[in-house]
Amino acid sequence: MKGHLYKVTLEHLEDAKGQAIDNSRLAFETRNHDDIFKIVEMIKVKMDLEEADAMAFAVGLKLFGEVMLNNRDVELFKQFKPHMTDFMKQLKKQ
């Protein structure tokens, strides 16, 4: 598969009550057709979001979008595709 290869790591630091969490971590490698770092920078410039929100939004959107593309035959993704297309058009207009 072509595309940029990323390693994504997510560490759970605190629970909803603010209690520290130890040894709760997800890590995986994934590919994406876009340079996610460039997308993050564009989102930071285009949208009035806090930096952490801009990063979370851009990374989440790109990871989700790539999964949709790679699994376009999944019925739920088929149903959501027109909405995602509209959303991406609006985002690119920002």
Side-chain angles (χ1 to χ4, degrees):
M1 176 185 214
K2 294 181 181 180
H4 302 267
L5 179 62
Y6 297 97
K7 180 175 183 178
V8 178
T9 303
L10 180 69
E11 294 182 54
H12 191 175
L13 303 177
E14 292 182 348
D15 66 15
K17 296 179 181 178
Q19 300 297 312
I21 304 287
D22 290 330
N23 301 321
S24 187
R25 180 175 177 248
L26 297 172
F28 60 93
E29 290 184 358
T30 187
R31 291 198 179 268
N32 197 285
H33 68 278
D34 284 323
D35 181 336
I36 295 177
F37 286 88
K38 286 184 181 178
I39 302 295
V40 167
E41 290 307 312
M42 285 191 304
I43 294 296
K44 285 180 186 179
V45 170
K46 288 184 171 192
M47 299 189 71
D48 185 26
L49 298 173
E50 296 292 326
E51 184 173 4
D53 286 342
M55 288 189 283
F57 170 66
V59 171
L61 180 64
K62 293 310 302 174
L63 293 178
F64 175 64
E66 198 74 12
V67 170
M68 279 187 61
L69 286 173
N70 293 338
N71 296 279
R72 58 183 60 130
D73 293 336
V74 172
E75 187 59 34
L76 184 62
F77 294 153
K78 283 183 187 178
Q79 293 174 20
F80 190 70
K81 185 178 185 316
H83 306 288
M84 182 69 157
T85 301
D86 289 343
F87 180 82
M88 293 304 293
K89 285 179 184 177
Q90 290 301 314
L91 179 61
K92 289 176 181 180
K93 287 181 183 179
Q94 293 287 314

